[in-house]
Amino acid sequence: MNKLPRDFYNRDTLNVARDLLGKYLAYKIDGVVREGKIVEVEAYIGPEDKGAHTYNGRRTPRNEAMYGPPGFAYVYLIYGMYNCVNVVTNEAEKPEAVLIRALEPTCGVEQMSMARFGKSELLTSRETISLTNGPGKLCQALGITRTHNGYDLCGETLYITESSKPDEPFETVETTRINIDYAEEAALYPWRFYIKDNPFVSRK
């Protein structure tokens, strides 16, 4: 396991977003690691980004983690029921983050399946794809909740690693973000990145 260092996150947010593809998000719970390869992300760049929770310098208890140092988790609730996990980037007081949109499950799949579907085996092909192909789904599968807001991603429980073995090269697709029509012109920014042809991407 080669955990990403703090300096990885303390960089330009768009560069961090691109570089997160192919890394592995892991959560250790009850002695078992649930893990998936990051295959889709979205960048949110603070006060000038109408799609960001910190647009125009907005600062609330909900988004306070985005103002903190890089390499921490920002977890929030959408629609009153789905958790979304973000990686805080750039230096402290520059409220920027990268949303993890989709994972390809690699470890702890039985535990993920139990969390998502209440069963640990005999998944259909559709259920397998649906395990972690969306921000709310991956949080449910890994067990990430609002209690993890502000967690140190350089710690021992929730963290991101390099691959332990060489991965096949992949092509990165850059396109517009999803479900932020309210963001006006910012909805058209090409700040969503995903691994081309990966079946676990949330939307082609």
Side-chain angles (χ1 to χ4, degrees):
M1 181 181 67
N2 188 11
K3 197 178 301 178
L4 298 182
R6 185 84 58 204
D7 287 349
F8 175 91
Y9 306 104
N10 191 16
R11 299 182 294 137
D12 175 85
T13 297
L14 293 179
N15 289 335
V16 174
R18 294 185 190 95
D19 292 346
L20 279 170
L21 295 178
K23 303 298 190 291
Y24 291 77
L25 175 64
Y27 177 46
K28 188 174 183 180
I29 178 173
D30 297 329
V32 176
V33 174
R34 305 182 191 184
E35 177 192 84
K37 181 167 72 173
I38 299 171
V39 299
E40 181 185 6
V41 298
E42 287 179 342
Y44 289 89
I45 304 184
E48 70 272 22
D49 179 3
K50 291 181 180 178
H53 292 167
T54 53
Y55 173 61
N56 208 23
R58 186 180 187 213
R59 190 165 189 165
T60 68
R62 180 196 189 206
N63 68 17
E64 183 62 28
M66 285 185 70
Y67 285 88
F72 285 75
Y74 170 44
V75 184
Y76 60 83
L77 198 66
I78 59 171
Y79 309 129
M81 59 191 303
Y82 301 116
N83 294 292
C84 295
V85 61
N86 299 253
V87 176
V88 176
T89 55
N90 222 318
E91 61 192 52
E93 299 301 321
K94 291 189 71 173
E96 304 177 4
V98 177
L99 170 67
I100 309 298
R101 280 203 58 90
L103 303 175
E104 179 181 331
T106 56
C107 187
V109 175
E110 289 187 359
Q111 289 77 12
M112 292 188 205
S113 177
M114 184 62 68
R116 288 274 292 121
F117 305 120
K119 61 180 182 179
S120 60
E121 53 189 21
L122 299 177
L123 292 184
T124 66
S125 58
R126 183 173 183 177
E127 286 173 331
T128 298
I129 294 296
S130 186
L131 267 179
T132 51
N133 69 338
K137 295 176 183 180
L138 71 88
C139 281
Q140 183 181 14
L142 267 65
I144 298 172
T145 69
R146 278 277 295 147
T147 62
H148 299 102
N149 185 46
Y151 261 49
D152 187 353
L153 296 174
C154 297
E156 302 299 321
T157 304
L158 182 64
Y159 49 87
I160 300 175
T161 71
E162 298 274 8
S163 175
S164 59
K165 57 183 179 181
D167 277 342
E168 294 183 3
F170 57 81
E171 182 177 343
T172 298
V173 177
E174 301 185 10
T175 186
T176 54
R177 296 172 293 184
I178 294 174
N179 295 332
I180 59 166
D181 294 341
Y182 59 84
E184 300 177 342
E185 73 279 358
L188 301 178
Y189 295 168
W191 291 351
R192 174 177 167 236
F193 308 94
Y194 65 85
I195 295 178
K196 185 178 181 180
D197 297 328
N198 188 285
F200 290 91
V201 171
S202 65
R203 185 183 298 178
K204 298 296 186 293

